[in-house]
């Protein structure tokens, strides 16, 4: 399916948040997806992922997660300096600010003419996987896809300690977790804590483990795994299509 692309601006706490939106080109109404990037914001690898998902029939809205700290349109390079910069931006962003951004994008999707407001989900990578997990607390979110979400058991997300792991029972929809068994940022102990918390809370969920490293779906890095990525996308598209037929 062909797509259209645009940038919109949302005001959150008097900060201008750029949101990149990719939508199916054919007229109609579609499910809306709140898409969260990794710490490097909306560079080419993330934009390709947004566009790919939109091509399956979704209106995908991706905010710049560090809009309070970075200039509009800023892309952080995925190198050592960029990693330090992105992690510092994450550390300096309050958890309540992340939550406010989530609310703003959901409200945007609900009022977009191309979105069915009863069909809203979320998908994210790395820190974005954690943000997607938190977005799943919102009543509108029927499906949440979390790809190698960092910091959930430890509460590492932003300024202060996130209460994410303690709020699992608040999730009203379904979860899909994509994890790499070679990922040092989400070791086996953290995977066990996360999956146990979801299971104990009786949240409908699926978990897919790949013999892959962190960020294995990011196609510009040395950890990219095409086979695992293709398999993961198949599971993601199947999951979303079941919940949003």
């Amino acid at each position: 399916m062909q797509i259209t692309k645009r940038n919109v601006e949302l005001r959150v706490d008097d900060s201008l948040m750029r949101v990149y939106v990719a939508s199916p080109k054919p007229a109609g109404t579609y499910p809306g997806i709140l898409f969260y990037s990794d710490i490097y914001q909306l560079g080419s690898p993330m934009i390709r992922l947004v566009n790919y998902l939109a091509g399956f029939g979704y209106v995908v809205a991706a905010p710049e997660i560090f809009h309070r700290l970075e200039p509009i349109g800023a892309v952080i390079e995925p190198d050592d300096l960029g990693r330090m910069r992105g992690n510092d931006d994450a550390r300096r962003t309050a958890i309540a600010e992340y939550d406010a951004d989530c609310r703003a994008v959901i409200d945007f999707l609900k009022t977009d003419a191309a979105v069915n407001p009863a069909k809203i989900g979320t998908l994210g990578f790395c820190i974005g996987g954690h943000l997607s997990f938190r977005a799943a607390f919102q009543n509108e979110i029927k499906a949440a896809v979390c790809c190698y979400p960092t910091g959930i058991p430890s509460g590492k997300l932003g300024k202060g300690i996130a209460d994410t792991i303690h709020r699992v029972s608040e999730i009203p929809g379904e979860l899909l977790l994509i994890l790499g068994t070679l990922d040092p940022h989400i070791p086996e102990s953290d995977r066990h804590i996360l999956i146990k918390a979801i299971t104990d809370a009786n949240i409908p969920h699926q978990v897919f483990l790949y013999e892959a490293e962190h960020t294995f779906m990011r196609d510009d890095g040395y950890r990219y795994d095409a086979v695992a990525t293709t398999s993961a996308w198949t599971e993601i598209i199947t999951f979303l299509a079941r919940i949003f037929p």
Side-chain angles (χ1 to χ4, degrees), residues 122-125 128-130 132-134 136 144-149 152 175-179:
T122 183
L123 183 150
F125 298 84
H130 190 153
S132 181
F133 196 99
R134 284 188 72 83
V145 180
C146 307
C147 299
Y148 30 86
I152 295 178
L175 288 175
L176 174 65
L177 298 182
I178 302 292
L179 301 167

Side-chain angles (χ1 to χ4, degrees), residues 52-117:
Y52 183 84
L53 180 58
F56 283 88
Y58 299 93
V59 176
V60 186
E64 291 183 332
I65 61 175
F66 301 137
H67 61 91
R68 294 173 180 82
L69 301 169
E70 296 285 349
I72 297 165
V75 173
I76 301 173
E77 290 300 317
D79 53 23
D80 286 344
L81 291 178
R83 177 177 49 78
M84 287 187 278
R85 176 177 157 190
N87 282 327
D88 190 56
D89 285 348
R91 180 185 60 81
R92 294 165 59 200
T93 301
I95 291 151
E97 292 173 333
Y98 290 126
D99 292 343
D101 295 346
C102 170
R103 187 70 256 166
V105 180
I106 290 174
D107 289 344
F108 162 76
L109 286 169
K110 288 170 65 177
T111 59
D112 188 274
V115 175
N116 181 336

Side-chain angles (χ1 to χ4, degrees), residues 3 5 19 26 29 38 60 65 88 97 102 107 110 115 128 149 161 188 198 220-221 225 228-230 243:
I3 64 171
K5 309 166 189 177
V19 182
T29 56
D38 55 23
V60 186
I65 61 175
D88 190 56
E97 292 173 333
C102 170
D107 289 344
K110 288 170 65 177
V115 175
I161 298 177
E188 184 177 1
I198 297 166
D220 69 335
D225 187 316
T229 296
T230 300
I243 296 175

Side-chain angles (χ1 to χ4, degrees), residues 2 4 49 86 104 193 240:
Q2 290 184 312
T4 61
L49 293 172
I193 291 169
L240 293 175

